[in-house]
């Protein structure tokens, strides 16, 4: 397995931001529990802001990745929509690797099928 923090390629940057987006979703969900169940209204301020920033970065990185790896409009739309449900970016990233849409990250998966 390659180093997760190696961000030298477009596909590796996409993977990193996809995982980061899912992690901020988790933080926001936990903060929402504290806000709505325990009554700490200030609990969502920081996780909400961080998640919002990472969400915008994910959208930008998705578009850059789509152009760089020549994704079809359908795949690009799937990547963008994956940022809406919690942990959807992880599902999309795994799917994209398995189906050959993430460049060198997909090559080992293709080699295993041969």
């Amino acid at each position: 397995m390659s180093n997760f923090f190696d961000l030298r390629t477009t596909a590796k940057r996409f993977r990193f931001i996809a995982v980061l987006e899912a992690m901020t979703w988790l933080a926001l969900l936990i903060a929402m529990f504290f806000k709505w169940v325990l009554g700490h209204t200030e609990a969502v301020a920081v996780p909400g802001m961080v998640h919002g920033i990472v969400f915008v970065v994910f959208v930008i990185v998705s578009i850059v990745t789509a152009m760089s790896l020549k994704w079809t409009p359908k795949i690009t739309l799937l990547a963008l929509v994956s940022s809406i449900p919690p942990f959807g970016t992880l599902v999309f990233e795994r799917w994209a690797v398995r189906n050959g849409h993430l460049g060198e990250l997909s090559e080992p998966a293709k080699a295993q099928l041969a």
Side-chain angles (χ1 to χ4, degrees), residues 50 88 110-111:
V50 171
K110 287 181 186 175

Side-chain angles (χ1 to χ4, degrees), residues 22-96:
M23 290 170 54
T24 63
W25 246 123
L26 178 62
L28 184 58
L29 290 172
I30 292 168
M32 288 170 63
F33 171 82
F34 277 90
K35 178 180 180 178
W36 295 109
V37 176
L38 302 178
H40 300 286
T41 57
E42 69 283 353
V44 295
V46 172
M49 180 187 63
V50 171
H51 177 69
I53 292 168
V54 174
F55 171 82
V56 171
V57 170
F58 179 81
V59 168
I60 293 167
V61 168
S62 294
I63 293 168
V64 169
T65 302
M67 291 187 301
S68 176
L69 298 179
K70 297 176 179 34
W71 286 351
T72 64
K74 179 182 176 183
I75 295 169
T76 304
L77 182 63
L78 286 173
L80 295 173
V81 168
S82 77
S83 64
I84 297 170
F87 315 112
T89 57
L90 296 178
V91 174
F92 176 81
E93 189 272 338
R94 289 285 85 205
W95 175 86

Side-chain angles (χ1 to χ4, degrees), residues 6-18 61 65:
D6 175 10
L7 305 176
R8 289 181 279 175
T9 67
T10 303
K12 290 177 181 178
R13 285 187 289 272
F14 179 85
R15 171 184 277 174
F16 180 79
I17 296 300
V61 168
T65 302

